Amino acid sequence: MDSKSVEAFHENINQLERDLKLQASSKAEAHKAADRKGKRKTGHRLLYPDSFLFRHWGADLSEEEQTLAQNLFLNYGYNVYLSDQLPLDRPLNDTRSPSCKRKTYPKDLPTLSVVLIFMNEALSIILRAVTSVINRTPSHLLKEIILVDDYSSNDDLKGPLEMHIQNYNAKHPGLIKIIRHQKREGLTQARISGWEASTADVVAILDAHIEVNTAWAEPILSRLKEDRTVIISPVFDKIGFDDFGLNQYSVAADGFDWALWCLYEPLPAEWYALKDDTAPVRSPSIMGILAADRKFLGEIGVLDSGMHIYGGENVELAVRAWQCGGKVEVLPCSRIAHVERAHKPYLMDLTIAMKRNALRVAEVWMDDYKYMVYVAWNLPVENHGIDFGDVSSRKELRKKLNCKGFDWYIKNVYPGLIFLPNIVGYGTMRNTLKEDLCVDQGAVPGHTPIVYPCHAYSSQLIFYQTSGEMFVGGLYARRSNVERCLTDPGNGDLPVLEKCDTAVNKGLNMHWDFKQGSAIINRSTKRCLEITAPNPSSYRLVMQTCTGQRWHIQHTLKGWGKTKDLEQKTQPPKH
Ligand code: UDP
Ligand code: MN
């Protein structure tokens, strides 16, 4: 760690302590509110001890109330039972830094359209979002709130929601509009529909389970007045899906891994150097929620309407913005509280949509780096069998906008995303003597890899590089290297997993000769990774003198292991 990141690290720890205190106080408040309402009844049997809803909440509900709350929770992924009791205009802790609170903004800022998209969200949740936008946005700047219903089936989102819209509009004429999809189109298309309907200078496209916090809009509007080419992310705070307490999150940049799952990145050193914690944070990506100049967003192609249901659209926008002449920033003074659901009621398995959408991004934007996405999803680069739809119009858009390549992006915007050009084999690793067993990282915490019935989840994913390093148990590809490398301690009969940078620093025996269908031989000790069967039902993964056992890795890249030349070089030694 250099001194800048040590500083950042300590700042993060301090922030974490502040977060925890804040979280504790908001939880205490939620409990007090429940007490006041007389809802805490003692001595009831807990009906759903395994439900996430009741881990930290609701122990005092009657059995009837528990059943009601649990059913609502299963339907929505958050605590609708509690949401329905909380006021729509509930106060929120102002989570901004003191310097944000001191900032003043000009009155004449661009106007704002707020888009809230939803698919079967709870009515009280949507109304609380609308109320927070009305109460916490300067009214002379808020041109409209556009609700986009992505074909919800819940009855209360029909007539009853219309009634509420009429009531709002009676007070604020024409403020609230609603657009309804005639079929499920997914969140990307819902965001696009909202953008299409918007008419203000700036558009903020938000989830419906949010509450905007104090003065959230002013930083966005003034930043876009300065520079119309920024795609903006506010800072999210977490609303607990169970107790609806507010948990303050630290300011961070948004990034992603090679599977395109989003993650938080540490703040860049240049940002700390500014010594201004209100300054925009240059960010490789966004999490999903965004604000932008309405027309600029249109000029660069809004969002990729070919995305299905969930995921990937945020990375596509961010990468496109950067590569095509825009930028992406997180604004520390703009804060939005967002309910983090316990589960997504609309999808059991997010990975199917995510994987497909990720391949679209790879195909259109990632050039020579795209195979990293295939590696991360453990898919073969060819014949992967996944139909990611037609990307020709997105490729045309890239051409028309004369965008830079991913090489430029990774070097200039996201050097923290590590490219591993030397991976030649990846996926599960099986021994030809026992093909239903796979190398597996074994118990965690723990350092001893094993063989285990194949399931191909991340604990069984192996990455073999031409350098001879063999990662076991998932690929992270971050600057803060957490991959574990296979090593041979040189004594005993067990292989050992060590964090790869530790293995390098300690000079462990971490390099292996391997080619498809051949032995796995440690380059230093010359011992082989093999299996033994002390009895026919239990196999062990061991280091021993090579007996000629052979291994197969699931996928290979770049014709590796197929050339005669390589085969000859890595013949196992004869004993
Ligand atoms: N959503 C939608 N159509 C869908 C799935 C989701 O309009 O098919 C909406 C959903 O109601 C929410 C937003 O898209 O307001 C984002 O979804 P979610 O909050 O589940 O995703 P996350 O916050 O995890 O990104
Ligand atoms: Mn959400």
Side-chain angles (χ1 to χ4, degrees), residues 80-295:
V80 178
Y81 177 86
L82 177 60
S83 170
D84 288 350
Q85 295 170 22
L86 296 172
L88 297 183
D89 62 349
R90 70 168 181 157
L92 279 184
N93 266 334
D94 184 347
T95 53
R96 294 172 302 160
S97 76
S99 27
C100 287
K101 292 177 188 168
R102 283 193 297 271
K103 251 192 140 70
T104 55
Y105 298 92
K107 256 194 143 283
D108 63 327
L109 289 170
T111 59
L112 176 65
S113 300
V114 175
V115 173
L116 297 171
I117 63 167
F118 63 91
M119 206 281 294
N120 285 342
E121 303 277 350
L123 180 59
S124 61
I125 288 282
I126 298 173
L127 298 179
R128 190 169 299 109
V130 169
T131 307
S132 76
V133 172
I134 294 175
N135 290 348
R136 299 196 179 109
T137 313
S139 57
H140 69 289
L141 301 175
L142 181 62
K143 190 166 181 196
E144 60 201 355
I145 299 175
I146 299 168
L147 301 177
V148 181
D149 173 8
D150 188 22
Y151 200 54
S152 300
S153 52
N154 292 355
D155 286 337
D156 60 356
L157 299 180
K158 294 170 185 161
L161 176 59
E162 298 284 343
M163 286 284 297
H164 284 283
I165 294 174
Q166 279 177 23
N167 290 343
Y168 283 118
N169 283 341
K171 272 193 236 148
H172 314 276
L175 184 65
I176 312 229
K177 296 166 184 150
I178 183 156
I179 290 161
R180 297 198 191 259
H181 284 171
Q182 298 311 308
K183 61 176 178 25
R184 262 294 284 297
E185 300 197 34
L187 69 81
T188 303
Q189 189 54 50
R191 289 186 175 135
I192 297 171
S193 300
W195 173 83
E196 281 168 350
S198 65
T199 60
D201 303 321
V202 168
V203 58
I205 307 179
L206 315 177
D207 290 3
H209 41 238
I210 52 96
E211 289 158 71
V212 296
N213 213 326
T214 313
W216 74 287
E218 290 89 330
I220 295 175
L221 299 174
S222 57
R223 181 69 185 118
L224 287 168
K225 191 177 176 185
E226 267 168 29
D227 184 345
R228 68 189 290 270
T229 71
V230 194
I231 305 298
I232 292 174
S233 172
V235 179
F236 301 111
D237 292 313
K238 170 181 164 181
I239 300 176
F241 64 81
D242 49 359
D243 63 7
F244 276 72
L246 185 66
N247 180 358
Q248 183 185 35
Y249 276 171
S250 308
V251 177
D254 300 335
F256 51 88
D257 61 16
W258 285 110
L260 309 196
W261 293 112
C262 38
L263 46 83
Y264 286 118
E265 288 286 352
L267 293 163
E270 305 85 68
W271 184 84
Y272 284 108
L274 293 173
K275 301 211 177 309
D276 172 8
D277 66 7
T278 72
V281 177
R282 191 180 135 99
S283 182
S285 186
I286 57 163
M287 292 279 161
I289 282 174
L290 69 115
D293 180 283
R294 180 176 60 86
K295 290 195 181 128

